[in-house]
Amino acid sequence: MPSIETSIWLALKARAEALVLSPVLPIAWPNLSFTKPATGYLRVTHVPNLNRRLFLGSTGPHQRLGLLQIDVFGKKNENIAVAVEVAGKVAAHFPTDLQMRHGDVAVRVIAAPNVAQPIDDDTHIMVPVTVPYECFA
């Protein structure tokens, strides 16, 4: 049986894998080799945050907070609205109160994902999408 931390990641990853975009964008996953295409792609990062003890019992569940970061990389010199639209679709795939499960562990989106300001770099434009979640386990 996987740890709570692994179960949280697997629940989040399964939901990200279920994202259907047209055209399909390759995904850069943590700790896996990836060659950046000149066209668009997504980059997924899991950012666990605080564990909070809310109950007095030593065996009570903890509130586990974190962020799923999905960065949308758009093609350089393309209308910025294209990457922003993809970011909006990514955000819509993680609606508030969405519950994701892996085994006995449930992970819930606690607020609308944040679509941040586009960031320009040498090869792409990046639009960060941040999905806040919690898990009681």
Side-chain angles (χ1 to χ4, degrees), residues 107-128:
V107 180
R108 183 179 69 92
V109 176
I110 57 174
N114 295 300
V115 176
Q117 174 181 334
I119 302 167
D120 198 16
D121 73 13
D122 292 338
T123 61
H124 292 84
I125 184 105
M126 180 182 76
V127 183

Side-chain angles (χ1 to χ4, degrees), residues 61-133:
H62 283 62
Q63 180 189 38
R64 298 164 191 273
L65 300 170
L67 304 169
L68 179 66
Q69 181 77 35
I70 302 179
D71 298 317
V72 175
F73 287 86
K75 187 176 177 183
K76 186 73 171 175
N77 297 319
E78 182 175 59
N79 186 332
I80 195 169
V82 175
V84 171
E85 179 65 15
V86 173
K89 290 177 180 178
V90 169
H93 188 66
F94 292 89
T96 304
D97 292 328
L98 170 71
Q99 191 173 102
M100 300 158 280
R101 297 189 75 81
H102 182 66
D104 293 337
V105 175
V107 180
R108 183 179 69 92
V109 176
I110 57 174
N114 295 300
V115 176
Q117 174 181 334
I119 302 167
D120 198 16
D121 73 13
D122 292 338
T123 61
H124 292 84
I125 184 105
M126 180 182 76
V127 183
V129 179
T130 306
V131 181
Y133 73 82

